[in-house]
Amino acid sequence: MSTQPPPPPLPAPDSAERLRDALRAAAFTADGCLDLLGATAYAALSRAETVPALRATRGGSPLESLVRLFLLQQPVPYERLRDVLPLDAAVAGGWLVRDGDEVRATVDVRPYGGDDGEDWYIVSDLGCAVGGANGIRTTPGVDRADLVLGVGGASTTLAGITVRTPVASALDLGTGSGIQALHASRHATRVTATDLNPRALHFARLTLALSGAPEPDVREGSLFEPVGDERFDLIVSNPPFVISPGGRFTYRDGGMAGDDLCRTLVQQAGEHLTEGGRLQLLANWEHTEGEDWRDRVASWVPRGCDAWIVQREVQDAAQYAELWLRDGGDHLAGPEEYAARYDAWLDVFEQRKTKGVGFGWITVRRTGSDRPVVIAEEWPHPVEQPLGPHIDAWFGRQDFLRAHDDAALLDARFRLADEVVQEQVGLPGAEDPEHVVLRSHRGMRRATRVDTVGAGFAGVCDGTLSAGRILDAIAQLLGEDPVVLRDRTPEAVRLLVEQGFIEPV
């Protein structure tokens, strides 16, 4: 009777320094790998497609050998790496294993560019950097449910939307391979990383150690259990948000019914945020019969908190099931097994009256206000990354609007935001445009239709005159009653402020 081989021992975090120095010296960095592989092979590798990268690394140079060793998980001759890596120390530290005249990597090490151009490394299970066409591979001796993934599109999206203002404390809830904790280490005095999977906690320590970051406070457990009643200035989470029938994979399946895991995370976050503290996470939510998804997700927001909820994508129930069946490699099983698993997903969706599943991000900020602002919107269009500074500014504008009634708003001064342009649409030769659009090329890259007054108002905003005085001047030009114009314009001004076309001075 065959037994599963034991998993290879994981590297020790305290053995990372010499390896890190050698990798950087050999230009095994994000920029170095891009220069070596070229854009096409590098992009394919980010999709876990290895053939182009294998073709690009046939020369045997030190950097080509490191790409084959750590990114492509190919055995490399010992002699080829003798002068590149501290081989004996790397073997003793558990990063490599020697098999005769060849060495193999025990983990996936992927170069990753930091917020300020740092050369970082993300450590994950072999074959689990980002998934790929054949689903997540397996590591010998490791249950697939416990595999630790590396950097992917969701990870980089969350990193890009996170507000990077300096904070005293940050919590990476569901840390996985530690990507968000690594980012937080640059602007948080204290970083706590939690995960239900003890294997993930070890990988998080490896990621930060190999990247030269301070070791985080790692704690095992689900949701907020490991942190008790502690509060944080920033909570980030790329949780296992997949809505699935059961919890097969720790890294993706929440193990709760429907979208309950994301709901619970958001609801409980209010008790773990400091005043002004933020929760930022990626999430899935159900679109159910007879319920607007906006109302559904907005109801999760804890009392005394502002929230901005952005839906980026929606898939119908069948598309969603197919996506995650491929992710789990179920499409490679026999037709009958695949059909049975597919059926199980659709059964759950039918029972819960789920028509589709939305994906997006949620930012919650604790304000203590008795007039919280909760906005849920759909925005499938391209945005500027990193978006974190614009999210920070959005919440600042909500504070301003909440503190200014219409009279105070008209006494305030504004300036036109950077890279806002005006577009006029109409028939050729027409005396007046049919409508005027303000378009921003920053942040969410919004466009909004305005009337003549709105366009004129925005164009004059340079921070010198109050909004009221600008409206009085416009009224005089148009021959309108300035009192009437002052009465009907604040709502439009509020919209321009909220969406970032004009900024309070």
Side-chain angles (χ1 to χ4, degrees):
M1 181 176 180
S2 62
T3 58
Q4 190 177 39
L10 290 175
D14 58 9
S15 65
E17 183 176 358
R18 289 185 63 191
L19 178 61
R20 177 178 67 251
D21 292 342
L23 295 178
R24 290 176 176 171
F28 186 67
T29 62
D31 289 341
C33 290
L34 175 59
D35 290 342
L36 170 70
L37 299 176
T40 299
Y42 194 77
L45 191 59
S46 72
R47 303 188 299 270
E49 297 290 357
T50 59
V51 173
L54 284 168
R55 292 174 60 86
T57 55
R58 292 177 289 191
S61 71
L63 182 54
E64 288 171 316
S65 298
L66 290 175
V67 169
R68 286 191 165 234
L69 180 69
F70 286 116
L71 294 185
L72 305 178
Q73 280 95 57
Q74 300 292 309
V76 176
Y78 183 93
E79 289 300 321
R80 191 176 292 174
L81 295 169
R82 180 190 292 275
D83 298 325
V84 181
L85 297 178
L87 287 176
D88 292 341
V91 170
W95 298 92
L96 305 175
V97 292
R98 184 169 182 177
D99 185 8
D101 294 331
E102 295 181 323
V103 292
R104 292 180 290 104
T106 60
V107 291
D108 186 303
V109 175
R110 181 169 296 266
Y112 181 72
D115 297 317
D116 296 316
E118 303 94 341
D119 292 319
W120 288 343
Y121 299 96
I122 308 301
V123 187
S124 62
D125 268 310
L126 294 173
C128 294
V130 290
N134 293 325
I136 297 299
R137 287 164 50 188
T138 58
T139 294
V142 180
D143 191 321
R144 291 188 71 195
D146 296 328
L147 291 173
V148 180
L149 272 61
V151 63
S155 304
T156 55
T157 294
L158 179 57
I161 69 171
T162 301
V163 177
R164 297 294 173 199
T165 53
V167 294
S169 58
L171 169 64
D172 179 10
L173 192 154
T175 188
S177 56
I179 301 164
Q180 309 307 326
L182 178 58
H183 279 281
S185 71
R186 298 291 295 159
H187 64 103
T189 303
R190 175 173 58 89
V191 177
T192 302
T194 67
D195 206 288
L196 185 63
N197 182 1
R199 186 177 179 84
L201 295 176
H202 191 91
F203 272 101
R205 294 178 65 210
L206 292 176
T207 288
L208 271 73
L210 193 58
S211 299
E215 181 167 333
D217 176 9
V218 296
R219 305 185 197 180
E220 182 181 345
S222 177
L223 293 173
F224 291 102
E225 292 172 2
V227 299
D229 58 358
E230 292 179 53
R231 292 180 182 268
F232 300 87
D233 302 314
L234 173 67
I235 300 172
V236 290
S237 184
N238 180 14
F241 54 65
V242 176
I243 299 170
S244 61
R248 292 175 63 202
F249 302 116
T250 307
Y251 67 84
R252 72 166 207 196
D253 300 324
M256 296 185 182
D259 50 21
D260 281 357
L261 182 132
C262 291
R263 174 184 58 80
T264 301
L265 197 163
V266 174
Q267 287 180 337
Q268 293 182 356
E271 298 301 317
H272 296 277
L273 289 172
T274 60
E275 198 67 23
R278 291 183 178 88
L279 162 71
Q280 298 194 264
L281 76 153
L282 303 183
N284 274 177
W285 44 77
E286 294 171 290
H287 285 228
T288 59
E289 293 180 13
E291 183 180 26
D292 190 311
W293 73 268
R294 296 169 183 82
D295 296 334
R296 179 183 188 85
V297 185
S299 71
W300 300 352
V301 178
R303 187 174 300 174
C305 294
D306 290 349
W308 187 13
I309 302 155
V310 181
Q311 179 168 273
R312 299 288 287 157
E313 181 183 2
V314 184
Q315 290 184 313
D316 64 43
Q319 287 176 311
Y320 188 81
E322 292 160 11
L323 169 67
W324 294 108
L325 286 166
R326 287 194 301 272
D327 174 82
D330 295 304
H331 61 305
L332 302 177
E336 292 184 2
E337 183 177 345
Y338 175 77
R341 290 196 182 279
Y342 198 158
D343 232 8
W345 284 72
L346 296 185
D347 280 345
V348 169
F349 287 144
E350 184 177 343
Q351 292 164 9
R352 294 182 59 84
K353 298 182 179 180
T354 302
K355 303 177 297 180
V357 178
F359 167 81
W361 62 68
I362 301 173
T363 302
V364 175
R365 189 187 60 163
R366 185 179 179 88
T367 65
S369 173
D370 57 359
R371 294 188 296 128
V373 177
V374 178
I375 302 293
E377 63 174 321
E378 186 164 11
W379 192 258
H381 313 294
V383 300
E384 179 187 10
Q385 284 283 26
L387 194 65
H390 301 282
I391 291 178
D392 187 27
W394 185 91
F395 280 91
R397 294 195 299 271
Q398 304 312 312
D399 286 341
F400 172 85
L401 292 172
R402 181 164 40 214
H404 287 69
D405 60 16
D406 287 354
L409 192 71
L410 294 179
D411 283 338
R413 293 175 294 125
F414 302 92
R415 62 175 291 273
L416 189 67
D418 295 334
E419 295 190 43
V420 173
V421 298
Q422 177 178 303
E423 300 173 355
Q424 297 185 169
V425 180
L427 293 174
E431 184 175 344
D432 296 312
E434 292 180 11
H435 59 265
V436 178
V437 172
L438 297 181
R439 187 178 302 278
S440 172
H441 294 286
R442 302 298 308 276
M444 297 290 281
R445 295 175 174 158
R446 295 187 187 275
T448 188
R449 186 170 174 172
V450 293
D451 59 13
T452 304
V453 172
F457 178 86
V460 177
C461 283
D462 61 3
T464 59
L465 296 176
S466 69
R469 290 189 63 186
I470 292 175
L471 290 177
D472 291 343
I474 292 175
Q476 186 175 5
L477 286 172
L478 298 179
E480 292 196 26
D481 184 339
V483 175
V484 173
L485 194 61
R486 279 175 171 255
D487 285 344
R488 68 178 172 86
T489 305
E491 183 178 351
V493 174
R494 288 184 182 278
L495 180 63
L496 292 176
V497 172
E498 180 186 320
Q499 297 193 343
F501 291 100
I502 59 175
E503 300 170 344
V505 174

